[in-house]
Structure formats: structure tokens, C-alpha cells
Amino acid sequence: IAGLKETDIKAGEHEGGEHFPLDLPGADRAALAQFGGVVTLDFRNGWPRTLSGALIRLGYEFTSEIQSVDYQFHRYSVELQHFLSPPFLAKNRRFSVRGRLEKVEEITGKSIPFYELSMIGDPRTLRGYDQNRFRDKGALLFNIEYRYPIWDTWDAVLFIDEGQVFSRYDQLALKRFKRSAGFGLRLMTQTGFILRLEMGIGQEESRLLLEMTPLF
């Protein structure tokens, strides 16, 4: 995977619903080159509903600013998904669990733009919080869902999301987890189209979400 990203964020200016402090790394113009890759081991079973099995995904990315080289960093990630049908329930009623760990580490003497930090708080992470509500050099996330078929192509979903951000691994702690929970409906087709309508209830607010991409 390779790509180029150019940003131009004026310090202190309102951008995408956020106000950026004057001294944030990245509150300027920057052109970033990114190189990396993802290795995926897929042992999932079922279509369009995933009924059992697991998925393992390992990712690495190196990013460097093209001109002044003020920004240079590595990004590592590991994700595990597991799908389980309890023995006392029908096969198509299942628990789906995802765990994801991401860490960004700067090269000595360099820095990380704030928009490249690990973030949680959106329809794919903590569904009861604003977009990118929490950010730091690392993020640990867990999503647990109970998926219950109510019609041929429709599922009802109950979920709990747990996550926290951190700068160093020794900052990880149970008391630092942020939580959201909720419920929703999910439409799936044989072509792979997925529509999610969900209500996420966080510790600060509640959010109604309409998404056309799967959570996992």
C-alpha cells in the first residue's frame, strides 16, 4: 500500500467540526508519503451473515513528510475478530467480538501530525461518541455484538463498545475505558451491500447512526 496525502490546516481555524489549538503538530500545510501493508488471515464462515470462525489482521505503515521532513512515524496495528454461535441457540444467532490495538510511534527527533494519531469515537469504534472524540499515540478497542435474524436479510443487533487511547502502554487501565452501548437494525444482501441503522448511547451523549459500511 502506498499513497500521498496533502493537508492544509490553518492554526486555530474551524475544520470539520473541530477547533485546533495553535501549537498542535500538523496545524499547517504538509505533504505526507505513506507506505505499508496489511496481512489478513480469514477463517470466517457464512455469507452474507458471518456465522462462525475468526479473522486476524496485521498492519504496518511508514509515513514521512516529503519536503521539510518534520513528520516521520511508524504505525502498527493488530485486529482479531471472532464469531460464535452459542450451543443452546440457533446457528444464525451469534456473538461477534472484535479487538483492535493500534500504536503510532514517531522517529527520534520527529513528530506526528495530530490528525494521524490513533483515534476512537465514530460509527466504527465507539458509537456513542462524536467523531474522533479521543486521540493519542495508541488506541485499544473492543466491540461485542449479539446479532439476531428477524427476517431473511435483516438482523437486530445489541452491542457494547469499550475503548481507550494512550501514549504509553503502561497507561492502559480498566478504569480508563470509555463505553457506549446500543441497538440497531442491519440490512444485508447477497451482493455484499450492508446498511446499518443504530442508536449508540455513550457516557456523554447519544447518537443515531446510519451507515452503509459494516462495523466488522
Side-chain angles (χ1 to χ4, degrees):
I1 299 173
L4 295 174
K5 177 186 294 185
E6 186 171 359
T7 60
D8 186 7
I9 300 176
K10 295 179 176 61
E13 185 176 275
H14 187 273
E15 180 80 15
E18 298 179 271
H19 289 279
F20 303 131
L22 297 171
D23 57 350
L24 269 181
D28 52 17
R29 171 175 288 186
L32 305 177
Q34 299 175 316
F35 308 91
V38 177
V39 176
T40 300
L41 303 176
D42 193 345
F43 306 102
R44 295 173 297 178
N45 303 301
W47 180 266
R49 291 183 173 96
T50 303
L51 301 177
S52 63
L55 180 143
I56 302 170
R57 182 176 289 130
L58 305 173
Y60 168 77
E61 182 179 273
F62 173 72
T63 300
S64 177
E65 191 175 8
I66 296 175
Q67 297 175 338
S68 63
V69 198
D70 290 329
Y71 308 126
Q72 252 185 6
F73 54 92
H74 304 281
R75 185 188 307 274
Y76 310 91
S77 64
V78 56
E79 179 173 326
L80 173 63
Q81 303 175 13
H82 187 61
F83 303 86
L84 173 67
S85 295
F88 51 87
L89 295 177
K91 185 178 180 180
N92 57 5
R93 303 177 187 180
R94 65 272 187 216
F95 286 98
S96 305
V97 181
R98 175 176 71 160
R100 177 177 171 80
L101 174 66
E102 180 180 276
K103 187 69 166 66
V104 186
E105 296 183 355
E106 69 268 45
I107 304 295
T108 302
K110 307 299 181 179
S111 57
I112 306 168
F114 72 94
Y115 48 81
E116 292 290 339
L117 293 170
S118 299
M119 306 179 197
I120 56 174
D122 61 27
R124 292 186 57 80
T125 56
L126 290 178
R127 284 167 275 190
Y129 291 86
D130 283 338
Q131 185 78 19
N132 301 333
R133 173 65 177 84
F134 308 101
R135 69 179 82 200
D136 209 323
K137 293 180 181 179
L140 178 62
L141 173 72
F142 296 99
N143 305 105
I144 303 174
E145 296 189 345
Y146 175 57
R147 302 174 181 177
Y148 181 96
I150 56 175
W151 198 41
D152 184 34
T153 57
W154 289 85
D155 273 1
V157 179
L158 301 174
F159 64 83
I160 297 175
D161 305 323
E162 298 265 357
Q164 62 180 282
V165 295
F166 58 94
S167 181
R168 305 182 313 274
Y169 286 109
D170 60 8
Q171 294 176 332
L172 291 169
L174 288 175
K175 64 181 181 181
R176 298 188 69 241
F177 274 105
K178 305 298 181 181
R179 178 181 299 109
S180 65
F183 55 90
L185 294 173
R186 194 162 297 170
L187 168 65
M188 298 159 291
T189 69
Q190 290 293 336
T191 62
F193 175 80
I194 293 180
L195 179 68
R196 293 192 287 132
L197 177 62
E198 297 171 338
M199 172 64 75
I201 304 169
Q203 295 165 293
E204 299 175 350
E205 61 178 326
S206 299
R207 300 185 69 200
L208 182 63
L209 307 171
L210 180 62
E211 294 288 317
M212 289 187 290
T213 56
L215 178 68
F216 63 96

